[in-house]
Amino acid sequence: MSHSPANRSPLVRLVLLLHNHQPIGNFDHVFHQAYEDSYRPFLEVFSRWDPLKISLHISGPLMEWLASHRPGYLDQLRELVAAGRVEMIGGPFYEPILPMIPSADRIGQIRRYSRFLENRLGARVRGMWVPERVWEQSLTRDIVAAGIEYTVLDDFHFKAAGLFEDELAGYYLTEDEGRLLAIFPGSERLRYTIPFADPQVTIDYLAEIGRQHPGSVVVFGDDGEKFGTWPETKKHVYSDGWLERFFTALTANRDWLEVCTLAEAYDSVAPIGKIYLPDCSYREMTEWALPFRRQQALQELTHQFHGDHRWPQVRSFIRGGFWRNFRVKYPEANEMYARMMEISRRIQEAIHNDPANEQLRAAQLSLYRGQCNCPYWHGAFGGIYLPHLRNAIYEQLITADGLLEKAQGRPEHWVQANADDFNFDGRPEIRLANDRMVAYLAPHQGGILYEWDCRPVRRNLLATMTRRPELYHEKVRAGASPEHHGCASIHDRVVFKQAGLESRLQYDIYPRKSLVDLVLSPETTLEQIASGQMVPWAKLWELPYQGTIHTNPDRVRATLATEADVLDQKIRVTKAVLLSAGSSILEVAYRLENLAPDRPFLFAVEFNFAGLPAEAEDRFFLSLAEEKLGHLGTRLDLGQVSGLALVDQWLGLRVQVGFSRPTDVWTFPVASVSQSEGGFELVHQSVAVQPHWLVQPDAEGRWTVSMRFLLVAESAPQPDTPEPILSATV
C-alpha cells in the first residue's frame, strides 16, 4: 500500500543484498538447478524494474561455474553494473570462514576476488560479504588491508555488543590497530519476512522504522537461493508472483522508500557511531555451534520461557556457542582444518623463498579452494555430513600438496616419516608419505589411521564421519510435522526425504576410521557389530599407544604398542605400518603377546573407506578370484578368505587387501541420519571392512598377522601379476 503525501513517512533507505553461493565440489546438476530456479529468474524479473537497485554477492565457486557454463548471465550482470543498478560485493574468493584461515590467506583471497570482479564485470569493489557472518574483531585489519571499506553482519552481532533494536537504523564504524571499517547490521526480521511473508508485511515494518527513525538504512542480506531453490520457493516467488508483488510494493512506495545499494547508503549517510563487535555469527549458527547437551538445554529453556512476557528481553542476553568449536564438536572438521593449515604454512614458506614459481601459485589456488567453508560445519544444511563436499576439500588439499612437492624438487620416488602435532591437540601424530600416498596415525588415540590419501586419484580414503547425536534427531523420532500451507523457511520445516529414518538412528562408540583395534567376545555376530550392539572386551581405541619411527632411505615404519586388560589378563598389542618409496602398498602387521591359552577372544581391526558409495553397480566388492560379491553397501560375512578388494570404477580406484593367514571378514555400510535444506535424509558415510580372527596363541602366548593394502589407481602403473603378501616384521 502506498502512503499518500499527507501521511508520508520519513525516508527509509532499503538495501537488498543477495548472497548467491554454491560450494566447491557440489554436483553440477545442483549448480544448474539453482541457476534455473533462482539466479536466472531473479535477474530476469529484476532487470525489468528500472527504479530498483541491488547489491549482489556471488561466491567464487559459483562465479567460476557461471563463467564456464553461463557466460551470458555474467554479460547481463556486466550491463547492469555499468548502468548502476547492481553493485557487486566482494569477499574471499572461495568462501572460507575468515577466522578459520591464516591472515595472509584472508588478504590473498579477498584481493584475488576483487581483481576478478573488476576484470570480468567492470565492477569497482568496495564492500564484501563475510561468509556465514562469522566475525572476530581482529578480522578488521585484514579486511581493510585487502581494500574493503564496508561489510554487513547481522543485527544479532550488534545486539550481542549491547545495542537495542532502535539503535540499528544505520551503520557503525569499527576499528582494529587504527584501521577503520564500516559495518551495516542486517535485519533478522527481514530474513524471515522476505520472501515468506506477504510483501505488505515488509512495507509496514519499514514504514514503522521510518516513522521512528527518519533517514534510516535497513539492510536485507541473505541467501539468493531463498528465491527459488529452497523448497517450495520457486512456485511461491515466481509462479505465484511474490517477487513481482514485492517489487511493485517497493516502487509504489518510493516517495518515502528508496531502494539503493550498499555503496549509495555508505556514501549518503553518516555513521551512527563506533562499535566493537564480539566474536559472533547469526543467531542460528551460534546455536548450532553449541555441544549437543548445551543445545538441548537451550532448547528446553526456550520452550519453558517462551510464553513469558519477559522472554524477549531475557532472550537478547542469551548467546550460543563460538564458531571455532565446530572443530571440537566434529573432529572430522578439525582434521580437514589441520591438513589445510599444514599446507598453507608450507606454501607460505615456499612462496616467500620463491615468489615467481608458477607451481607454487597453482598450489596456492588449490589451497584457497580447499578452504571453502561448507563441509567444515553443520546446521540446517548438510555441511560436514555430505561426503562429496568433504571429498572435494581433500581433493583440493591433496592437489596443493602434490604441486608443492613438485615445486620443491622431489625425486620421482621418495618416502618420508615424521612426527609432529599435526592436528593441534598437544600430542604428536605420525605422518608417513611417499610419491603415491600419505598416511596419518594418532598414537595417543588407539594408534588409529585417521587420514590416508591416495595421490593419483586425490582422495582421502578416510574422509569418514562418526555418527553422533544431533538435536534434530528428536524431530526425526517424533516424525514429520503436519503438512504446512504456503512457503516456510528451512528453519521451520520438518520434512522426511525417506521413510523409516527413526529406525536408522545409530551412534558410534569409536571413531569410524581405520586400524581401529577391537577385542570382542567369540560369540559376537555381524548383526551386533553393524548395529553397534556388541560389548567390547577392551576399548583399545581409547588407549594411548607408544609410537616410534624407523627410517631407511627407501622404507619407513611406524611402530605402535600398548597394553590392555582383557578379562583379568593384561595383553600387549603391537602394530607396525610400513611404506616404501614409489610403492602403492601400505603394509600392516600385528603382534599380540601375553595371551592366555584357555581364554579365546575375537581380535578385529576395522577399516572404514569413505567416498566409495553404496548401491551403485560400478562400485562393488571383489574376491581375489575376481568374483563380484555385491555392491559396496552389502553386508558380507566371509569365512577364511585370503583377501578382498573394493572397486570404484567411476573413481578409477581399487583397494585390495591380502592377509597372511586365513581370515574371516565382515563388511557393512555406515550411514547417518542428517539434515539438509531439503529435509532429513540417510547419507552413506563409509564402507566398514572388519577382518577378525579367533585368537589362538602359540606356546609362548603370541599371535601374529599381517595385511597388505594395495591401492591401484587408473592413473597409476599397475603390476602385471599380483605381488606376494609381504610379511611386516614388528
Side-chain angles (χ1 to χ4, degrees), residues 99-112:
M100 187 188 79
I101 66 176
S103 174
D105 292 345
R106 294 174 199 155
I107 297 172
Q109 286 228 32
I110 295 170
R111 286 177 174 171
R112 187 184 189 98

Side-chain angles (χ1 to χ4, degrees), residues 117-145:
L117 293 174
E118 290 164 3
N119 294 334
R120 182 63 178 84
L121 299 178
R124 179 190 175 197
V125 178
R126 301 172 63 193
M128 69 165 273
W129 179 264
V130 175
E132 299 301 330
R133 284 94 80 195
V134 177
W135 178 258
E136 294 179 15
Q137 186 62 29
S138 60
L139 298 176
T140 302
R141 60 181 178 269
D142 289 340
I143 292 172
V144 175

Side-chain angles (χ1 to χ4, degrees), residues 2-5 8-11 250-257:
S2 178
H3 293 271
S4 64
R8 178 178 177 181
S9 299
L11 176 67
L250 294 179
T251 55
N253 289 278
R254 55 186 168 169
D255 58 332
W256 62 271
L257 179 60

